[in-house]
Amino acid sequence: MVSNNVILIGFMGVGKTSLGKKIARNLDLEFIDTDEIIEKQQGKTIAQIFEEEGEEYFRRLEFDLIQSYKREKTAKAKPKVISVGGGLPVYNNLMKDLNQLGTTLYLQRPAKELFNRLVNAKDKRPLVMRLNEEELLSYIEETLLNREAFYNQAKFIVDRNHQEVKTILDLLKQS
Ligand code: S3P
């Protein structure tokens, strides 16, 4: 039913992975999470990579991974559902690459809601793991504002009331 990769982007904690897995199951496609692939490749957690090698190194790994998917696409590999780390579209011009790689969907939620979802799920996320609640909320508000310029370049923007498999499948039919 889909001939192109499906790419989910959005802030940490928005729900890219859980929705991505459901879409992939529904379409009978492989599901990929860039963080998970990088952890496997490096034999380290994302937090360890940030700590030992630094953020710039991690962004390079994200860049290299997207280049490898672009090569696969050129080689006409079967489409996949790809969930990308929250910061990936923002660095190294990758939003442009993502739009070439597949149909991009920006999963959007208000900052306060992201805060509620992240407050108990920040331990594995190096950029927020050491922030207290007040710092976390300001970090989300500020970072979201900066990142939206990139996220909004997605082909589809899906607000929180439409983040379900059926709506996404309807959008993919139009693409
Ligand atoms: C990051 C988001 C994380 C992970 C890393 C950095 C970011 O992915 O790639 O901790 O810069 O927003 P999730 O969006 O899957 O949490």
Side-chain angles (χ1 to χ4, degrees):
M1 182 201 133
V2 294
S3 53
N4 206 353
N5 294 310
V6 177
I7 303 173
L8 299 177
I9 69 168
F11 208 81
M12 286 177 259
V14 75
K16 293 166 295 211
T17 302
S18 66
L19 184 59
K21 280 184 179 164
K22 288 184 203 156
I23 297 167
R25 212 175 304 133
N26 220 280
L27 295 172
D28 198 21
L29 296 179
E30 185 187 355
F31 172 77
I32 277 174
D33 176 303
T34 57
D35 284 341
E36 220 174 272
I37 299 287
I38 289 174
E39 287 187 331
K40 276 197 196 125
Q41 277 176 353
Q42 301 290 307
K44 290 179 185 175
T45 64
I46 300 296
Q48 282 174 322
I49 300 171
F50 268 69
E51 198 137 308
E52 293 169 20
E53 318 283 350
E55 179 171 355
E56 210 171 302
Y57 180 84
F58 173 71
R59 299 300 174 197
R60 184 73 212 179
L61 297 175
E62 291 189 312
F63 177 82
D64 291 345
L65 190 59
I66 297 303
Q67 304 317 305
S68 76
Y69 293 140
K70 280 177 69 182
R71 287 193 293 275
E72 269 187 22
K73 182 177 162 126
T74 312
K76 306 224 181 318
K78 195 176 173 215
K80 302 180 190 23
V81 178
I82 307 174
S83 161
V84 309
L88 185 147
V90 175
Y91 296 92
N92 300 309
N93 221 5
L94 282 183
M95 194 59 224
K96 191 162 157 260
D97 283 356
L98 293 178
N99 277 324
Q100 287 166 4
L101 184 62
T103 306
T104 48
L105 297 116
Y106 167 31
L107 305 186
Q108 191 183 45
R109 282 181 196 271
K112 191 77 209 324
E113 206 171 302
L114 293 169
F115 170 82
N116 290 332
R117 294 168 65 96
L118 263 179
V119 74
N120 295 316
K122 60 188 175 72
D123 289 1
K124 290 186 182 148
R125 294 176 161 109
L127 294 174
V128 294
M129 67 200 314
R130 293 188 182 87
L131 304 183
N132 65 32
E133 293 197 6
E134 199 182 311
E135 291 165 338
L136 178 64
L137 184 57
S138 343
Y139 175 85
I140 294 170
E141 285 169 345
E142 281 166 30
T143 313
L144 187 60
L145 208 61
N146 291 331
R147 289 186 174 180
E148 282 212 305
F150 298 89
Y151 293 159
N152 283 330
Q153 293 169 36
K155 174 147 192 183
F156 296 112
I157 298 175
V158 189
D159 70 34
R160 68 167 172 325
N161 300 316
H162 297 95
Q163 290 176 21
E164 70 230 2
V165 177
K166 189 185 170 308
T167 317
I168 309 286
L169 297 184
D170 287 346
L171 289 175
L172 294 173
K173 270 187 217 155
Q174 300 168 30
S175 68

